[in-house]
Amino acid sequence: METLLGKFENYVAEHNICSHGDRILLAVSGGVDSMVMLSLFAQSGYRIGVAHCNFQLRGPEAEEDEQLVAECAEKLGVPHYNIRFDTLREMERTGESVQMAARRLRYDWFDSLCDEHGYTHIAIAHHGDDSVETFFINLLRGTGLRGLTGISVTNGRLIRPLLFSTRKEILDYALQKKIPFREDSSNASTKYLRNKIRLGIVPRIKEISPQFTETMTSNVERLTAAQGFIDRGMALLRQQVVLSRGDVHTIEVDRIDPMLPVQFVVYELLRGFHFNPEVINQLYHSFENEGQSTGKHFYSRDYAAYIDRRRIIVMPIPADDTCELEADAQTRRLSCGGNIIRFERLEVDDLDTLQQPDNVALIDESKLRYPLRVRRWRDGDSFVPFGMSGHKKVSDFLVDSKVSLPDKRRQFVVVSDGEIVWIVGRRVDERFRVGSATENVLRLTAEIDPA
């Protein structure tokens, strides 16, 4: 029977993942997957370095992970890089979830290490079970076919040389070869969606189909091939229906063959400009009902789109664009200029605490007048900061808060009947705060749009 080392070497060669002439930076957490990956690369004679991130979220456990990785790298005689992130502070600063903040921090650092030390690849220890779990996560999120293709073997500098293997194969190999590793206690928690799938759904399916991981790996490969076929077709369609002049792109919808799924084609074209699915659906609905679309703009992280007769015009968001959107009493989510604001309506008794992070605002809903407006702040805006009794100009508040010039431009406000309710991610207006007489609460949560 072929050993895991043999499978690894064959998989890397067959998929042309890397060569012995490359310099490869291994992302090693101390867990079994990455420690086995380190062992396989070392045994195969590749030129490697080891990078370890301590996100300072797990106390002594994280310290012990850091120590193990450093000791193993030193024993193997390979370069070792370590960094500690203040992840909680970064979450407060950006409004990101812990997973999003940690992902951005680590990949930015990996890229900087590659640039500084000449590494050509970054190796991540994702395996076949990870790809299956990603399939289910994206299925639940409604990401479409592209999200069901699992995890790619290569993506720019990133390589994933263990996708051929299962979690069980990796664990068995570590035990057989006496490879030291650390068990992350958070892997047993069902707080995160991935763990709910890993610990709850997948084991039950495997009771029915013991070869489920292998079967799903084959399914994902076929879905990936189908998506590749679609991508090639879309490249040809793009040449036929998109007219680009500088930064302005015009989608001539009537040039799309009506025998094709037109809404899907428009979705694929706009996805390239980072519009998320919800915004694309809203835009297409307005396109089909042209009377509703006059003067209406739709926003992604970097682009604005609007409808001009039977065309969709896409351009970079102008510096003076307020990105103004409306929210009524039924709105659940708005996406604007790289931000997502979620709307949740609660009774005050449902709140565990009134203490919330900066990216969450609790508002007394009885004091609001709909529709609310979400827009960029502008000169002349003022509000009554939480805990104060007098008005303060938003410009002065941002200066006092030491907000950088780029972040000032990206600052949004929530407005009710001309009055600012929330400086998004920073401060609630005193007049709309939750108080002793509050019964119904509107909870607003700001996040960075990952689209």
Side-chain angles (χ1 to χ4, degrees), residues 149-162:
T149 57
I151 302 173
S152 59
V153 179
T154 61
N155 183 12
R157 283 174 170 168
L158 290 182
I159 60 174
R160 298 181 173 92
L162 297 188

Side-chain angles (χ1 to χ4, degrees), residues 290-299 305-308 321 324:
E290 291 183 69
Q292 301 178 16
S293 61
T294 304
K296 192 171 185 179
H297 283 64
F298 302 84
Y299 298 94
Y306 65 92
I307 298 164
D308 178 21
D321 192 323
E324 186 166 330

